Amino acid sequence: RGMSHVMNGSYVLHKGLHESIEKDLARIVAAHRIKCNFTQSGATHSLGEDRELILFRMIQESVANAVKHGRPATIMVSLNYKPDALQVTVKDDGRGFDRQLAKQKGGVGIMNIEERTKLLKGALHINSEPDKGTNIVLTIPHPDK
């Protein structure tokens, strides 16, 4: 039931990005027994409903990839609101991966994140190494900038 709430785009639009992330991470904790931390800093500002829904889907994809492929003990998600952008970090202590190898295998998850980043005119940085976890940083500019 919790998953259907979070998968429903209207939930994100109604409850907001912060609460939707918390609910999704609580679902991960309950279903997979993975420790999840969520932090938020800076003066909150809206990116607009459509952009926040796309961003939420990117966060969901990043967390799902960590759970499915990385098998981490801990996942950390942070939102850092800056005057001109929102910086999102999704970090895990899992198995990590070789990005080139993942591209060769045709991984759809990262491709979806890359395409959505372009759609939002953002920047994406993925740092991962086998056995060293993964750190994904998304920077999404404020729509007025």
Side-chain angles (χ1 to χ4, degrees):
R1 183 169 184 241
M3 182 182 214
S4 65
H5 276 150
V6 180
M7 291 302 292
N8 182 345
S10 64
Y11 183 87
V12 178
L13 298 177
H14 179 70
K15 295 292 186 175
L17 189 58
H18 181 110
E19 189 171 325
S20 299
I21 293 168
E22 285 185 327
K23 185 168 187 124
D24 194 45
L25 292 178
R27 180 184 61 79
I28 296 296
V29 169
H32 301 282
R33 303 293 188 243
I34 296 170
K35 183 179 178 184
C36 294
N37 298 314
F38 176 66
T39 60
Q40 181 174 306
S41 62
T44 305
H45 54 77
S46 175
L47 296 174
E49 288 182 345
D50 292 341
R51 292 167 58 91
E52 287 186 0
L53 180 57
I54 292 168
L55 181 58
F56 176 72
R57 295 291 185 227
M58 294 165 74
I59 295 167
Q60 265 188 323
E61 184 74 42
S62 299
V63 170
N65 285 344
V67 170
K68 183 176 180 183
H69 303 292
R71 298 189 181 135
T74 303
I75 298 173
M76 295 175 282
V77 177
S78 67
L79 302 180
N80 181 7
Y81 287 91
K82 299 177 179 194
D84 58 346
L86 172 59
Q87 186 175 58
V88 179
T89 303
V90 179
K91 184 175 183 174
D92 71 72
D93 61 359
R95 297 187 309 184
F97 65 96
D98 179 314
R99 193 163 177 200
Q100 290 300 82
L101 186 59
K103 275 190 173 189
Q104 290 172 359
K105 288 183 176 181
V108 176
I110 292 175
M111 188 174 66
N112 284 339
I113 294 168
E114 289 172 337
E115 290 302 314
R116 289 172 173 163
T117 300
K118 289 177 192 172
L119 184 65
L120 296 176
K121 297 178 175 53
L124 171 66
H125 298 283
I126 301 174
N127 294 318
S128 186
E129 292 181 48
D131 301 320
K132 294 189 178 178
T134 301
N135 188 37
I136 298 173
V137 179
L138 300 160
T139 304
I140 308 300
H142 193 282
D144 298 336
K145 303 293 179 195

